[in-house]
Amino acid sequence: MKKSLLNLIFAFAILSLIGCSTTQKNTITHLSTIDAILAGAYDGYVTLGDLTTYGDFGIGTFDRLDGEMILLDGKVFQVKADGKVYTPASTVKTPYASVVQFKKDITTKLPKGIDYSTLKNILAGKASNMNVFCAVKVNGRFTKMKTRSVPAQRKPYPPLTEVTKDQVVFHLKNVSGTIVGFRSPAYVKGIGVPGYHLHFISDDFRSGGHILEFELEEGTAEIDICNRFLMILPEGVHDFSQIDLSIDRSEDVDKAEK
Ligand SMILES: [Zn+2]
């Protein structure tokens, strides 16, 4: 009797260890700063293998700015400028990403026909504290989904506003998939994108990118409210150490990301 109880406790302890990520719940782990990316610090410094120990859900980019990242259910997808979706090796590095161990706090069925700005209004009603972070997941069918991606860059790296002038825009129609991203407080300016930063991956994993606009046919939103924020910055030899991050680049964020 005693032995079986001990075995049960032991098994439970092992199971809870396996289930643990390296971060506490409700923690967004964030690589680099958006201003460093705007200034062209595109060299990856964290492997995807390491990144996914901090979460199973998130967005970002890749070494040399080679496409848009979607991390969904622990799997990394890379939407390159050719419009195709790749599954990069765990040794590939990223210079910028935001991830979380997604655990929904709020679920809401969305009205038919809504667009990006209506979604923002609905989520503001459901998750009204604008001073904490929200991970946002919307699975549904979209009549329109306008996304973009950017091609890998060569040194000397141009600033992001130069790169996005040549961004490739995809006009997806009648596509089922998942919106993956975050709503960040206004005070995150300089570090991340204030407000919404959303990426998309189709259910067949054949299309996606950084979302510019969309129109939802039907879908459900899940929100994970997050009150912890962990930054991991590049160390040692990296452009990050040379950039002047005292400059206000708010206008450039709007140009490059919105
Ligand atoms: Zn993006």
Side-chain angles (χ1 to χ4, degrees):
M1 183 68 178
K2 254 187 189 167
K3 202 179 169 194
S4 63
L5 185 67
L6 272 175
N7 280 340
L8 195 69
I9 292 167
F10 184 69
F12 182 74
I14 292 289
L15 277 174
S16 30
L17 274 175
I18 291 167
C20 271
S21 74
T22 54
T23 45
Q24 285 182 287
K25 66 173 189 172
N26 294 328
T27 304
I28 289 172
T29 300
H30 188 80
L31 304 189
S32 191
T33 70
I34 191 67
D35 280 9
I37 290 296
L38 285 163
Y42 305 146
D43 282 338
Y45 66 99
V46 173
T47 65
L48 300 179
D50 284 341
L51 181 72
T52 48
T53 65
Y54 293 97
D56 60 359
F57 177 97
I59 55 175
T61 185
F62 299 89
D63 187 47
R64 299 173 295 123
L65 207 69
D66 191 9
E68 308 284 351
M69 179 198 294
I70 296 99
L71 170 61
L72 180 61
D73 299 328
K75 231 179 151 196
V76 179
F77 300 97
Q78 179 177 19
V79 183
K80 291 201 192 189
D82 62 5
K84 291 182 183 150
V85 181
Y86 299 80
T87 46
S90 61
T91 49
V92 168
K93 291 181 177 178
T94 166
Y96 183 85
S98 253
V99 303
V100 71
Q101 204 68 44
F102 190 89
K103 208 172 170 298
K104 65 180 176 193
D105 295 308
I106 298 165
T107 304
T108 185
K109 183 110 179 82
L110 297 167
K112 283 174 194 276
I114 63 164
D115 61 6
Y116 201 155
S117 66
T118 310
L119 177 74
K120 288 179 191 177
N121 292 338
I122 291 168
L123 297 188
K126 297 286 173 188
S128 58
N129 182 352
M130 303 302 278
N131 295 330
V132 291
F133 294 81
C134 291
V136 176
K137 187 198 259 188
V138 178
N139 186 258
R141 185 159 176 82
F142 300 83
T143 41
K144 287 178 201 160
M145 175 58 74
K146 184 178 171 188
T147 63
R148 73 103 195 270
S149 186
V150 286
Q153 301 297 304
R154 256 175 283 167
K155 287 193 170 184
Y157 293 136
L160 187 63
T161 47
E162 288 301 314
V163 177
T164 53
K165 277 180 191 167
D166 301 322
Q167 67 187 8
V168 189
V169 176
F170 310 113
H171 296 269
L172 311 173
K173 288 202 170 85
N174 301 317
V175 60
S176 295
T178 307
I179 291 176
V180 172
F182 296 92
R183 185 185 79 193
S184 301
Y187 60 74
V188 83
K189 179 167 91 86
I191 295 168
V193 177
Y196 286 82
H197 186 182
L198 306 176
H199 288 188
F200 176 75
I201 184 80
S202 65
D203 282 347
D204 63 7
F205 308 116
R206 284 177 148 186
S207 55
H210 170 106
I211 296 178
L212 299 172
E213 283 167 34
F214 66 81
E215 200 178 281
L216 182 80
E217 189 179 320
E218 55 164 347
T220 303
E222 293 177 356
I223 305 166
D224 181 5
I225 297 168
C226 300
N227 67 334
R228 293 168 183 269
F229 193 78
L230 171 69
M231 285 175 78
I232 301 175
L233 301 173
E235 292 178 288
V237 183
H238 193 282
D239 292 340
F240 187 82
S241 63
Q242 308 297 324
I243 295 165
D244 181 0
L245 290 176
S246 68
I247 301 166
D248 185 343
R249 292 179 166 91
S250 309
E251 278 182 24
D252 288 347
V253 176
D254 288 346
K255 263 188 230 159
E257 302 291 337
K258 304 277 162 88

